[in-house]
Amino acid sequence: QVQLVESGGGFVQPGGSLKLSCVASGFTFTSADMAWYRQAPGKERELVATISTSGLFKNYADSVRGRFTISRDNVKNVVNLQMNSLKPEDTAVYYCNGVRKVGSLKSEYWGQGTQVTVSS
């Protein structure tokens, strides 16, 4: 049974920090590119950051580059998102995502989401 379980969301004031974690199980984590997405009320889900299977390659949305850092631990099957200098516009539900490709077959997994609220 595939599971992506996020944690670490909460309420924080502007300028503060939060660290999101996502624990993966039920699939070969080391074969999956991982990502964090977010969805604010009334908006479409958007890609925040991606990390390759090895952790060597990372990409960020322009809106978070320099403030957020994605990382992974392939021993513990965890992907993290360190969020610094948070802004009210970062308020959203954050989702963990995994994509595993084997030949022409693609499997995609989603977590249930964790709420991040940035407000004074």
Side-chain angles (χ1 to χ4, degrees):
Q1 178 184 0
V2 172
Q3 280 193 312
L4 293 176
V5 181
E6 301 103 333
S7 63
F11 183 94
V12 64
Q13 291 187 336
S17 298
L18 282 175
K19 182 179 180 179
L20 306 183
S21 294
C22 171
V23 179
S25 61
F27 65 99
T28 306
F29 183 74
T30 52
S31 299
D33 293 319
M34 300 299 296
W36 286 94
Y37 286 74
R38 68 185 181 186
Q39 187 167 19
K43 294 187 177 181
E44 294 187 353
R45 190 172 296 189
E46 64 171 347
L47 179 64
V48 175
T50 65
I51 187 167
S52 62
T53 54
S54 64
L56 288 177
F57 302 102
K58 305 175 184 181
N59 284 296
Y60 298 92
D62 289 342
S63 57
V64 307
R65 188 175 289 113
R67 300 187 297 121
F68 291 12
T69 302
I70 190 170
S71 63
R72 67 188 294 162
D73 184 331
N74 282 347
V75 174
K76 296 180 179 179
N77 287 7
V78 174
V79 58
N80 299 307
L81 185 69
Q82 177 66 46
M83 306 185 295
N84 298 328
S85 301
L86 282 161
K87 304 175 181 180
E89 51 263 43
D90 295 318
T91 296
V93 178
Y94 284 72
Y95 297 91
C96 179
N97 169 272
V99 175
R100 185 166 174 262
K101 297 176 183 177
V102 179
S104 61
L105 295 177
K106 175 184 174 181
S107 299
E108 188 166 18
Y109 315 113
W110 290 94
Q112 82 288 350
T114 185
Q115 176 70 47
V116 171
T117 302
V118 185
S119 176
S120 56

